[in-house]
Amino acid sequence: MDSTYKARKEAFVSNLAGGSILEINAVTLVAPASVLLWSVLQSRLSFFNPYGAPALVTDFFLNVLSILFATTLYASAPWTLNILLVLPALGLLLTSTPPRAQQKAKPPRSSPVAKKNAPKQASDSSEPLPVHPFLTTYRAAMMVITCVAILAVDFRIFPRRFAKAENWGTSLMDLGVGSFVFSGGVVSARSVLKGRNNRSKKTPLWQRLTASTRHSIPLLVLGLIRLYSVKGLDYAEHVTEYGVHWNFFFTLGFLPPFVEVFDAIATLIPSYEILSLGTAILYQVALESTDLKRYIIVAPRGPDLFSKNREGIFSFLGYLAIFLAGRAIGIRIIPRGTSPSQSPQQARKSTLLSLGLQTLIWTTLFVFNSTYAMGLGAKIPVSRRLANMPYVLWVSAFNNAQLFLFCLLESAFFPSVHREAGKDGEPERTSFATSRIMTAFNKNGLALFLVANLLTGVVNLSVPTLDVTTAQAMTVLIAYVAAITGIALALDRANIKLSL
């Protein structure tokens, strides 16, 4: 890469201050708005059954291109895009009724003889950890916006206020990095819940550490590959993001072993929310009461690896707190929650109440931590570079809010998903309530993240992204997201799941 152009590229993503949280919320609200329109089309018209070319194109426009447009062409008018998505949904709601055909997703009625044993049968056929379409949609939407931003940030059409802030501030990409970790924490709760449901003796800590370390090896290898690729190709890099050698794959790779240690601590402190907050508080105390903050941000880089990579090493503590916060909400919302005293409808109301309450709590903590808040707040600025406490609270509040919105949409338009507690017919119900594209993105999320990184490198090495026109930039970006979507659908169709 030409040295002058490389310097321009590095300057293009350096020394940025981010933007407002209100604007970030408006941009990210496009995902739930798109899912709203998708849900109305599916629940009222069964538009995506069968899944032919018109359904595929519409699905792609709603769940992928809408997010791309929100961060590029409509970046200055996100509310306009939200309105364009919501108005057709409202129009359909007012002019159509749910077809009876939707009831086919329910299992057949039991015979009178079978009804005598209905409670026992329901118990036997009930899946305690069911598939939740809203959780699939949440994780997929996060993955889509992550893939979009990875490449879009290199074009001028992507506003600089959406790119990662240098030291302090909030931005769309700062939120995306934390959300990626949070969503990983949410799904990791399944392993915890399965362990709790298994009455056999719990696996010793050293065995779990060994297994988690094996799981980390592929991620660490990917981190090394990225490191040597960036250095070998003289690729433009933002050193203050994670350090000279560290990258996001290393952060993801080191999380599993540390989380296992906290899983052992959870036997003494049975609340991952407390573990998350405790980690964030202790880290913030260290930042404020010692020279750690100054060391990370302004100290000269020494010759040792620790000093060269201090951002990645210390911010890991914040990402660990985010992961634990994700696991905390996952433990609350993944179980079916039904019991002899609680019906499926009551269990879903409890899930919505839990998500709403968690959103309120994390938001309140964030407001008091990052502002003066009636003179009682600490007014600590958000820093993704430090992954400090305000950053942890912001990411946790946002993701709980997103989960609440997606869960609310599923509950409103596809009630049969949570009203039926048995396994019979569950694949049909969940398939009917979930976008094919979103299912594909969720199924191979980490693999697609790797593909997105590889394609981003290819584009940057072959296209002068700083010098292209708006039309050229959008052509490249649309082709890029179409390629990733095609790969996701191909993997899903072949029933391939690449777990890294």
Side-chain angles (χ1 to χ4, degrees):
M1 181 178 291
D2 177 73
S3 59
T4 302
Y5 184 73
K6 178 184 177 183
R8 288 174 58 203
K9 290 275 290 185
E10 291 175 352
F12 191 59
V13 294
S14 301
N15 302 314
L16 303 176
S20 73
I21 290 180
L22 290 178
E23 183 181 35
I24 294 169
N25 290 341
V27 171
T28 53
L29 193 61
V30 167
S34 298
V35 173
L36 167 64
L37 181 51
W38 186 95
S39 300
V40 173
L41 286 170
Q42 180 72 331
S43 62
R44 296 300 173 92
L45 305 177
S46 294
F47 184 84
F48 300 96
N49 284 14
Y51 198 76
L56 171 61
V57 172
T58 304
D59 200 1
F60 179 64
F61 264 89
L62 289 180
N63 289 309
V64 180
L65 286 188
S66 64
I67 292 176
L68 173 61
F69 291 160
T71 58
T72 52
L73 297 177
Y74 284 87
S76 298
W79 287 113
T80 300
L81 183 56
N82 278 299
I83 291 172
L84 291 174
L85 292 166
V86 171
L87 283 181
L90 294 178
L92 278 172
L93 283 173
L94 294 174
T95 58
S96 63
T97 56
R100 292 184 178 181
Q102 186 180 349
Q103 301 303 317
K104 291 190 298 183
K106 294 183 179 182
R109 294 180 180 273
S110 303
S111 64
V113 176
K115 285 183 179 179
K116 294 181 180 180
N117 298 321
K120 182 179 179 180
Q121 288 182 352
S123 176
D124 291 342
S125 64
S126 178
E127 170 58 59
L129 304 178
V131 174
H132 294 293
F134 78 88
L135 188 53
T136 296
T137 302
Y138 153 75
R139 280 174 50 80
M142 180 275 303
M143 181 55 60
V144 170
I145 197 168
T146 298
C147 292
V148 165
I150 286 173
L151 179 58
V153 69
D154 294 314
F155 292 89
R156 295 191 183 279
I157 196 171
F158 188 87
R160 294 301 87 196
R161 63 185 180 277
F162 289 173
K164 292 176 182 177
E166 184 71 22
N167 294 321
W168 314 101
T170 55
S171 78
L172 183 67
M173 289 193 72
D174 288 334
L175 182 62
V177 174
S179 297
F180 196 101
V181 174
F182 187 97
S183 70
V186 173
V187 296
S188 76
R190 280 189 176 274
S191 62
V192 177
L193 292 166
K194 286 179 180 178
R196 291 179 180 180
N197 292 336
N198 188 356
R199 296 181 179 179
S200 61
K201 186 178 180 181
K202 190 172 182 179
T203 306
L205 175 60
W206 69 268
Q207 290 185 8
R208 285 182 282 135
L209 282 173
T210 302
S212 64
T213 302
R214 284 198 300 266
H215 179 73
S216 294
I217 290 175
L219 290 166
L220 298 177
V221 170
L222 289 174
L224 290 173
I225 292 173
R226 176 176 172 79
L227 169 63
Y228 286 110
S229 298
V230 169
K231 302 298 182 183
L233 296 172
D234 197 26
Y235 192 76
E237 55 181 328
H238 191 194
V239 173
T240 57
E241 185 176 348
Y242 294 107
V244 176
H245 308 99
W246 198 279
N247 58 58
F248 192 51
F249 285 111
F250 289 138
T251 297
L252 295 176
F254 283 115
L255 276 171
F258 279 87
V259 170
E260 287 300 334
V261 173
F262 275 83
D263 191 38
I265 298 175
T267 58
L268 302 175
I269 307 175
S271 170
Y272 280 95
E273 288 93 348
I274 293 177
L275 292 175
S276 173
L277 281 172
T279 302
I281 290 171
L282 290 175
Y283 177 42
Q284 190 62 44
V285 168
L287 288 172
E288 300 296 333
S289 61
T290 68
D291 289 334
L292 181 59
K293 181 165 58 177
R294 184 197 63 79
Y295 170 71
I296 297 173
I297 294 179
V298 300
R301 293 191 187 277
D304 58 289
L305 286 174
F306 191 91
S307 178
K308 287 179 181 294
N309 299 285
R310 56 182 186 257
E311 292 93 344
I313 292 171
F314 285 105
S315 67
F316 177 81
L317 296 172
Y319 289 117
L320 177 60
I322 290 171
F323 190 94
L324 294 172
R327 175 171 283 193
I329 197 63
I331 288 173
R332 292 179 179 274
I333 66 175
I334 289 178
R336 190 177 296 280
T338 55
S339 66
S341 61
Q342 189 171 39
S343 67
Q345 292 92 329
Q346 291 172 326
R348 178 48 62 97
K349 287 180 180 178
S350 296
T351 297
L352 285 168
L353 180 62
S354 179
L355 284 168
L357 185 61
Q358 289 289 318
T359 300
L360 179 61
I361 292 173
W362 287 106
T363 301
T364 302
L365 290 173
F366 170 67
V367 169
F368 276 92
N369 199 241
S370 62
T371 70
Y372 279 129
M374 300 177 292
L376 301 176
K379 200 178 181 181
I380 303 171
V382 175
S383 174
R384 186 266 322 148
R385 184 178 177 184
L386 297 173
N388 61 357
M389 188 173 179
Y391 178 71
V392 172
L393 297 174
W394 176 42
V395 170
S396 301
F398 170 83
N399 281 273
N400 275 283
Q402 286 276 298
L403 282 166
F404 174 79
L405 289 175
F406 288 127
C407 185
L408 186 64
L409 289 172
E410 181 201 294
S411 303
F413 293 103
F414 306 103
S416 63
V417 170
H418 67 269
R419 287 179 181 173
E420 299 293 334
K423 293 180 182 179
D424 294 338
E426 184 179 68
E428 291 79 10
R429 293 192 297 270
T430 56
S431 176
F432 185 81
T434 315
S435 153
R436 185 76 62 85
I437 286 178
M438 300 302 254
T439 299
F441 266 91
N442 177 65
K443 191 174 182 180
N444 287 288
L446 201 52
L448 294 176
F449 180 64
L450 174 59
V451 171
N453 275 273
L454 293 174
L455 290 178
T456 296
V458 171
V459 171
N460 275 277
L461 291 173
S462 56
V463 178
T465 56
L466 296 184
D467 302 323
V468 300
T469 64
T470 297
Q472 291 170 331
M474 290 306 300
T475 300
V476 172
L477 288 170
I478 291 173
Y480 161 77
V481 294
I484 294 176
T485 303
I487 293 170
L489 288 171
L491 291 172
D492 183 53
R493 186 176 181 82
N495 199 28
I496 296 173
K497 185 173 182 179
L498 300 177
S499 299
L500 298 179

